[in-house]
Amino acid sequence: VFPWMPLVTVVEGVLTSNRKFCVLHGGVPVDCQGQVGPVGIDDEISQIDRKRPTVHVTTDKLSEVLFNMLWADPAESQRGKATKRRGRGNRFLCADTQAFIERNDLAFVVRSHELPRNLRGAVPAHSSKCFTVFSASNYMGSAGNHGGVFLCEVGKGLALKEHFAPGWADLARLFAEHSKAHLDDRLAIAEAFEASGWDGASSAAAPACRSPGGPCSSRPALPAPVTANREAQTV
């Protein structure tokens, strides 16, 4: 299945005033062997042979580009770039992001791979040219984070929508009680659960959720959510 999955998706249209952005899992490939300057989506990336037994063995430029597209993380300084963790890609800086979007005629980059430190559904980096959007709420059953997605709507541009999924026990109860409810009613129930269970002044004191591995710690109070950059919001 993996060879048929896209490495990067370029989004363009009226929702972003014909400005393009790309979506990938890891980040901007940098410091790959033989690499001179930013890679091109229609050039080096399109040449990658996806039919390989593993992406974790890198033998040439394109295999390293592939690995970094899947596992690279942004850094805000040279010191942060030097703290590369084992099994991760090469960290990329603001200048790397800027060079990549200029080479590929993009407004910004959307990626995921790492839990935002602010525990929101998304966090901007590199002068709002690189967004980490993390869709899994309460990661690993214990992180206490919001999940997030970017929604594209005509007339509204690109906006961040956050969610917090119920724990297993609450999910089983809600499903048993409302599985036959109309879709609109189920959406209202889900929104009410998030509002009463995790948002507002009571969020810091909300009871711990439970995961298959045991109880989670209390979810911390959250800062204000981030917003997409100007290019993303303009229609």
Side-chain angles (χ1 to χ4, degrees), residues 131-150:
F131 287 89
T132 296
V133 180
F134 200 79
S135 61
S137 65
N138 197 32
Y139 184 58
M140 300 293 287
S142 59
N145 63 290
H146 266 105
V149 295
F150 273 158

Side-chain angles (χ1 to χ4, degrees), residues 27 58 101 131 211:
T58 56
I101 64 177
F131 287 89
S211 68

Side-chain angles (χ1 to χ4, degrees), residues 39-53:
V39 298
I41 293 175
D42 294 329
D43 298 315
E44 293 96 331
I45 293 175
S46 66
Q47 298 170 14
I48 294 175
D49 180 9
R50 301 287 299 283
K51 297 178 180 179
R52 58 184 72 220

Side-chain angles (χ1 to χ4, degrees), residues 1-6 50-52:
V1 176
F2 175 77
W4 295 98
M5 299 175 66
R50 301 287 299 283
K51 297 178 180 179
R52 58 184 72 220

Side-chain angles (χ1 to χ4, degrees), residues 202-227:
S202 62
S203 62
C209 65
R210 296 201 172 261
S211 68
C216 311
S217 57
S218 296
R219 182 168 179 267
L222 296 174
V226 301
T227 56

Side-chain angles (χ1 to χ4, degrees), residues 63-224:
S63 61
E64 288 193 12
V65 169
L66 170 60
F67 182 83
N68 280 274
M69 290 182 68
L70 295 174
W71 305 118
D73 294 320
E76 295 294 346
S77 66
Q78 286 289 349
R79 181 177 181 181
K81 180 179 174 68
T83 59
K84 178 182 175 182
R85 288 166 286 183
R86 184 178 181 182
R88 298 290 185 96
N90 301 322
R91 287 187 175 274
F92 58 99
L93 297 169
C94 182
D96 299 318
T97 297
Q98 187 64 39
F100 179 78
I101 64 177
E102 289 179 1
R103 165 73 188 275
N104 294 285
D105 191 26
L106 303 170
F108 54 93
V109 173
V110 177
R111 43 88 60 180
S112 50
H113 183 225
E114 59 180 348
L115 178 68
R117 289 189 295 269
N118 64 356
L119 299 181
R120 302 298 323 194
V123 62
H126 297 171
S127 301
S128 293
K129 295 299 183 182
C130 176
F131 287 89
T132 296
V133 180
F134 200 79
S135 61
S137 65
N138 197 32
Y139 184 58
M140 300 293 287
S142 59
N145 63 290
H146 266 105
V149 295
F150 273 158
L151 298 180
C152 296
E153 297 183 76
V154 175
K156 296 182 180 180
L158 187 67
L160 172 66
K161 176 69 174 178
E162 293 182 303
H163 58 270
F164 194 91
W168 291 112
D170 285 320
L171 189 61
R173 175 180 59 79
L174 290 169
F175 181 79
E177 293 175 357
H178 307 290
S179 61
K180 296 182 180 181
H182 188 272
L183 176 60
D184 291 340
D185 294 331
R186 283 184 284 164
L187 289 174
I189 292 165
E191 291 175 353
F193 175 88
E194 293 192 24
S196 62
W198 294 108
D199 292 337
S202 62
S203 62
C209 65
R210 296 201 172 261
S211 68
C216 311
S217 57
S218 296
R219 182 168 179 267
L222 296 174

